[in-house]
């Protein structure tokens, strides 16, 4: 059984993923604050901003699923600490400890300034919609460098929004169910074809604005489609900001506050900060 490390394991995405992957891998979880373990998991507390911590937790793992970091728009100092320094530490610690496979949770916000009437693939030029989006682009660039320079196999998932159901109109396009996310992550861990890849972490949504052929090439066959929730979601949708409505990134294109611009409260890695 492969040993995998999941950082940011206590966050919303981490919790869904760990439940879905239980029994499939030997899972080491990590977060900045203590996390309740599922059966079979081991826990190591670590701050992504500390190289010492990252060197300690990346020892002896086959694959590293890096979810840890600041997960929404925020002040530059926090983004710098968690997502720039933290992301560098994650890749570099993995390299020094010989971790072959690195899965990076990037985000739709790396390309959030594309318009909603555009279909984009994994090769489009980056268009981050926030400092947070810029930090995700940094993580993708680190992956490209570590793949080309050191032969690390890197799988960057531009995740939409993970949940048991889509929560608003924008999320009808970018929603990913927990089981589809788990399938994508398993491909990232196990596919022999992975070199440096960018894929979209979305279900098979009818309203998707992504051409996800790179994920399909690697074997991704999403089982869920947000359309079955569309009627209910649209019935409760309120008129949004006209500028935000134009762009794929939604409220992130104009967010200048530190709160999560998503309407639901989600717990994220480093949320204990
Ligand atoms: C993200 O990247 C965030 O981590 C998550 O909290 C959501 O806001 C999501 O994007 C989204 O766009 O819905």
């Amino acid at each position: 059984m492969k040993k995998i490390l999941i950082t940011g394991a206590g966050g919303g995405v981490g919790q869904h993923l760990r439940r879905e992957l239980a029994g499939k891998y030997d899972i080491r979880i990590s977060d900045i604050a203590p996390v309740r373990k599922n059966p079979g998991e081991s826990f190591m507390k670590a701050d992504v901003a500390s190289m010492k911590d990252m060197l300690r937790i990346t020892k002896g793992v086959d694959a590293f699923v890096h979810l840890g970091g600041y997960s929404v728009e925020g002040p530059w100092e926090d983004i710098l600490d968690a997502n720039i320094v933290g992301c560098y530490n994650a890749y570099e610690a993995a390299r020094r400890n010989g971790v072959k496979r690195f899965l990076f949770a990037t985000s739709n916000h790396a390309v959030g300034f594309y318009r909603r009437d555009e279909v984009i693939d994994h090769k489009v030029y980056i268009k981050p919609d926030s400092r947070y989006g810029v930090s995700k682009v940094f993580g993708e660039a680190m992956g490209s460098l570590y793949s080309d320079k050191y032969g690390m196999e890197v799988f960057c998932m531009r995740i939409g929004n993970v949940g048991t159901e889509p929560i608003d109109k924008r999320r009808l396009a970018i929603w990913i169910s927990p089981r589809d996310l788990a399938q994508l992550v398993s491909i990232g861990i196990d596919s022999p074809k992975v070199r440096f890849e960018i894929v979209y972490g979305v279900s098979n949504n009818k309203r998707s604005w992504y051409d996800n052929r790179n994920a399909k090439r690697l074997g991704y066959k999403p089982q869920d489609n947000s359309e079955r929730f569309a009627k209910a979601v649209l019935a409760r949708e309120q008129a949004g900001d006209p500028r935000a409505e134009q762009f794929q990134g939604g409220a992130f294109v104009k967010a200048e506050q530190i709160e999560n611009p998503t309407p639901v409260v989600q717990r994220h890695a480093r949320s204990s900060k």
Side-chain angles (χ1 to χ4, degrees), residues 45-69:
K45 190 168 175 293
D47 182 351
V48 291
S50 157
M51 180 62 99
K52 198 167 151 238
D53 283 5
M54 296 311 282
L55 283 169
R56 185 169 45 82
I57 65 170
T58 49
K59 275 204 178 82
V61 301
D62 300 303
F64 180 174
V65 184
H66 184 45
L67 308 179

Side-chain angles (χ1 to χ4, degrees), residues 71-72 107-109 132 160-161 170-171 174 252 260 266 268:
S71 61
V72 288
S107 167
N108 69 93
H109 298 290
Y132 166 69
N161 192 254
R170 188 174 75 87
R171 272 57 170 245
I174 66 166
F252 278 69
N260 187 346
Q266 298 179 337
H268 296 283

Side-chain angles (χ1 to χ4, degrees), residues 246-263:
Q246 265 187 288
F247 295 102
Q248 296 182 3
F252 278 69
V253 305
K254 54 186 291 293
E256 270 308 331
Q257 62 277 78
I258 59 167
E259 299 92 46
N260 187 346
T262 163

Side-chain angles (χ1 to χ4, degrees), residues 189-201:
I189 295 170
D190 295 320
S191 168
K193 294 185 189 156
V194 171
R195 296 292 171 268
F196 170 74
E197 314 297 340
I198 290 183
V199 297
Y200 288 94

Side-chain angles (χ1 to χ4, degrees), residues 8-16 18 31-36 69 71-72 260 262 264-273:
V13 176
Q15 289 182 35
H16 283 301
R18 288 161 50 209
D31 210 313
I32 196 166
V35 172
R36 189 196 293 266
S71 61
V72 288
N260 187 346
T262 163
V264 291
V265 178
Q266 298 179 337
R267 194 171 167 272
H268 296 283
R270 290 184 70 89
S271 56
S272 52
K273 248 187 115 167

Side-chain angles (χ1 to χ4, degrees), residues 142-164:
M142 281 293 294
S144 178
L145 175 68
Y146 275 51
S147 170
D148 286 339
K149 188 160 277 191
Y150 304 116
M152 192 180 272
E153 295 165 354
V154 179
F155 191 71
C156 295
M157 300 168 287
R158 284 184 181 156
I159 297 177
N161 192 254
V162 187
T164 46

Side-chain angles (χ1 to χ4, degrees), residues 196-213:
F196 170 74
E197 314 297 340
I198 290 183
V199 297
Y200 288 94
V202 290
S203 282
N204 187 28
N205 304 325
K206 184 176 163 210
R207 295 163 196 250
S208 176
W209 42 62
Y210 304 124
D211 168 353
N212 209 6
R213 67 179 185 283

Side-chain angles (χ1 to χ4, degrees), residues 163-167 172 175 177 205 207 224-236:
T164 46
E165 49 186 86
I167 52 181
L172 288 173
W175 175 66
S177 66
N205 304 325
R207 295 163 196 250
D224 293 303
N225 182 337
S226 63
E227 208 51 26
R228 72 192 161 96
F229 300 103
K231 210 167 153 215
V233 167
L234 295 175
R236 62 169 188 257

